[in-house]
Amino acid sequence: MNIVRGTRGAAVGVLSLLTVVACTPSAASRPDAPPRPVGAAAGAGAPSEPDGGSQVAGRPKSAPRTSTGGRTPAAAPRSAATLAAGRAGARFDLDGDGRDELVVGAAASPGGTALHVRYSRVARRDTVTAPASAPGYLLAPRYTAGDFNGDGFQDLTVAAFRTPTQGAVEHAILVYPGGPDGLDRDRVTLLPGMNAGAFAAGDLDQDGDDELAVGDGGATEQRDGPFRGSVTVLSGSPNGVTLTGSVRLQQVVPRWSGLAEENFGTHLAIGDLTGDGYADLVVNGSRRGTSETDWHGMLTLFPGSATGPDARRVSKVEGQLDTAGDSLPVDVILLSDLDQDGRADLVLGLPRSAGGRVIYLRGAAAGLSWAGRRVIDQDTPGVPGRPDPDATGGHFGAALATGDVTGDGLPDLLVGAMTMTVGAAADAGSVTLLPGTPQGPTGAGALAYTQAVQTGDWPRPPAEFGQSAAMLRDQPEPNDYLGSAVAILDLDGTGPLEMFAVAKYEDRWQQPADAPYGLLTTLGIQTRTPRRGSTGPAASRLVPLRQQRPADLSGGGTRLLHFGYGLLSN
């Protein structure tokens, strides 16, 4: 299905640079890759992928998903009991116990990319690489999870590629089915010919099986033709993801000189933004003008329907080329019901925009709109720290995750700022928690973690994971990139959700070039009550509870080289 251009609507400003468009289909994106430290390598022994640039009888009805991997209860707000418990339900439950699994993307030897899976119940850990049934393939660092066959277990979907001959690249998607014993690596489905630059999963047609949306990364075989990127929506079925009946969404480029819409499908998210019970698809893109530097970001919403993504009711928001200032370079998209009104809200990460920003847009029946928007950055009242003085900025919004970590029943927002300067350490990185409110994230009561946790008159955090305090005294160093990936997960099924953050270049510059690097930190909230007789309020901070390096997760004949490929999170 080709997406044709529609009629422009009235412009509405946000930061004096944004436009709203309601149309019959259209959109695109071209955010550049985040900056890397000078001399940063992909990791020894890790091959790099060439740029590609109604209920079903007998099966439970799936709840709508909330982003690239999350689920929320259906369109109605959660019950009081659920809110009191502060739980949102598992979103990445591969073994069916009602709890999430921790999935870490890493470079590995042998095998290129590997996914380390720590189950919440199954007494094993998996290091997932391409199966023998897919000879010659290597995994690529793009993955998500969804219940594609409606059996109640989440399935893991991973991009893959191989080079049968020099200069020839074959792309594919691998689907590892979940089950009571975890991932079934003997029944992996291979979908050949699919160049997956981005993933999102969710039930767009409400038939009980999740669909899989696949963006080609904004680069198609028709790079010089009329299209600039595409998104293919694959159907779920009792047998899992299928190419049968797939729908291809493409952005048509105008047949006149000047503006061209391109990089359609570089980022995707799925969730019920309109509140009608069907999950909706949000697609990133960009509009390019008469030069390579003349461009701005765009977002398009395809509402879900009984027949899948509805191209007749598309809405769009975009930046303005004719306004001085920012061009809306959106690099991160997620959908989650942060204000608990029964509609998923859109949260955008703009790490390359004026040092980094997060934009919060409430869900609405009419689709995408800037109405009620909120911009949060390090100038926002309540957000700790200050704008980064470094020329690259702090990249606030480089990674996002949502979930209730405070236990008050309201989803919180975790924000990574991977190049934030900490003291004298440039690009050390930081992580900020924005507590949830009935109005969504505001910045009030925010907490920041930078690895520079000082004991002072605070007690050391309890050794909840049996790790000594001495092992948690890591310090910020230049180019650590803390906050390059974040996640909020339900691993134990009790109390508030758990927080995780990756520093993908931790140890990279302090040891031999071929040594593993990267750090995975489990974070918690520590509260200090006032001393007896004091009238001051209680104080809280983010603290490390556990820290793991590649060697701690390696096993099964696979050596992890670095944590550079993210976490499975919404």
Side-chain angles (χ1 to χ4, degrees):
M1 168 167 46
N2 291 343
I3 300 305
V4 298
R5 292 175 54 81
T7 304
R8 287 182 177 272
V12 178
V14 55
L15 303 178
S16 299
L17 53 92
L18 301 173
T19 301
V20 167
V21 179
C23 56
T24 39
S26 181
S29 144
R30 191 200 73 182
D32 300 324
R36 300 181 63 182
V38 175
S48 60
E49 179 191 7
D51 287 337
S54 80
Q55 182 165 335
V56 177
R59 286 184 285 145
K61 182 67 180 171
S62 297
R65 295 177 63 87
T66 59
S67 75
T68 54
R71 290 184 182 271
T72 59
R78 293 187 292 170
S79 67
T82 302
L83 290 173
R87 313 305 293 174
R91 296 169 289 183
F92 309 115
D93 184 9
L94 302 174
D95 59 14
D97 67 345
R99 295 175 288 177
D100 293 321
E101 271 60 72
L102 175 65
V103 180
V104 184
S109 179
T113 300
L115 301 180
H116 177 82
V117 182
R118 191 179 91 198
Y119 296 100
S120 52
R121 177 183 60 85
V122 175
R124 81 168 199 253
R125 296 185 181 184
D126 278 340
T127 300
V128 179
T129 56
S133 58
Y137 279 99
L138 297 174
L139 301 187
R142 292 176 292 282
Y143 49 92
T144 192
D147 184 5
F148 304 113
N149 58 10
D151 64 355
F153 300 97
Q154 296 281 293
D155 312 310
L156 186 64
T157 300
V158 192
F161 71 99
R162 66 180 178 183
T163 54
T165 60
Q166 186 174 2
V169 181
E170 295 178 354
H171 296 277
I173 295 173
L174 297 171
V175 183
Y176 299 75
D181 297 320
L183 295 176
D184 187 344
R185 299 171 66 180
D186 294 326
R187 294 193 301 114
V188 179
T189 299
L190 172 68
L191 301 175
M194 297 292 297
N195 179 14
F199 282 128
D203 194 357
L204 296 168
D205 56 11
Q206 281 298 334
D207 67 348
D209 306 319
D210 283 343
E211 278 69 58
L212 178 66
V214 183
D216 67 3
T220 71
E221 298 84 356
Q222 299 170 314
R223 186 64 183 87
D224 297 322
F227 303 116
R228 299 291 189 271
S230 68
V231 175
T232 302
V233 179
L234 307 179
S235 298
S237 75
N239 295 319
V241 178
T242 175
L243 296 173
T244 302
S246 63
V247 175
R248 192 178 190 190
L249 309 175
Q250 291 181 302
Q251 179 108 317
V252 175
V253 175
R255 296 293 189 174
W256 61 82
S257 61
L259 299 180
E261 297 176 3
E262 62 179 4
N263 293 303
F264 182 73
T266 51
H267 302 285
L268 310 172
I270 290 179
D272 185 9
L273 184 140
T274 59
D276 63 356
Y278 292 98
D280 310 309
L281 172 65
V282 176
V283 182
N284 198 11
S286 67
R287 183 190 293 275
R288 179 172 55 82
T290 55
S291 71
E292 288 298 320
T293 59
D294 185 16
W295 71 277
H296 66 269
M298 304 170 63
L299 292 167
T300 302
L301 171 74
F302 296 88
S305 72
T307 56
D310 187 347
R312 299 167 300 175
R313 296 186 294 123
V314 168
S315 57
K316 177 169 62 178
V317 292
E318 61 179 280
Q320 292 180 334
L321 279 175
D322 58 354
T323 300
D326 219 314
S327 57
L328 189 66
V330 177
D331 290 348
V332 186
I333 313 173
L334 65 79
L335 284 162
S336 180
D337 186 4
L338 296 180
D339 59 6
Q340 294 291 279
D341 67 350
R343 296 187 179 99
D345 306 312
L346 183 64
V347 186
L348 308 175
L350 289 77
R352 295 177 291 117
S353 170
R357 294 171 176 159
V358 172
I359 297 180
Y360 167 71
L361 302 174
R362 297 187 64 196
L368 289 180
S369 169
W370 291 115
R373 61 193 176 271
R374 184 176 302 130
V375 180
I376 301 174
D377 57 22
Q378 296 215 279
D379 280 326
T380 300
V383 175
R386 57 189 177 86
D388 193 275
D390 191 283
T392 62
H395 284 82
F396 186 81
L400 301 172
T402 65
D404 178 17
V405 302
T406 59
D408 63 358
L410 294 169
D412 310 299
L413 178 62
L414 194 62
V415 182
M418 64 184 182
T419 63
M420 189 63 61
T421 296
V422 180
D427 299 343
S430 68
V431 175
T432 300
L433 177 67
L434 304 177
T437 77
Q439 296 76 42
T442 64
L447 306 173
Y449 172 68
T450 64
Q451 293 194 86
V453 176
Q454 300 297 321
T455 302
D457 59 350
W458 290 69
R460 289 296 302 178
E464 296 184 20
F465 298 91
Q467 196 164 26
S468 70
M471 296 178 67
L472 297 174
R473 290 175 182 164
D474 203 11
Q475 293 297 308
E477 297 157 329
N479 299 320
D480 278 348
Y481 275 40
L482 171 67
S484 55
V486 297
I488 295 179
L489 302 168
D490 179 7
L491 299 187
D492 58 15
T494 62
L497 302 179
E498 293 79 53
M499 294 176 282
F500 299 87
V502 170
K504 68 177 180 178
Y505 294 130
E506 178 76 34
D507 300 332
R508 175 67 178 88
W509 320 107
Q510 291 79 36
Q511 59 184 9
D514 60 346
Y517 57 93
L519 183 69
L520 172 65
T521 300
T522 306
L523 295 172
I525 300 175
Q526 184 183 24
T527 301
R528 179 184 62 185
T529 57
R531 294 178 178 178
R532 183 175 298 179
S534 173
T535 59
S540 298
R541 65 176 183 173
L542 292 182
V543 294
L545 299 178
R546 184 179 190 182
Q547 292 177 329
Q548 295 171 285
R549 289 172 166 78
D552 299 318
L553 304 186
S554 294
T558 300
R559 177 174 177 254
L560 300 187
L561 300 176
H562 70 83
F563 295 149
Y565 298 147
L567 300 168
L568 185 59
S569 183
N570 69 343

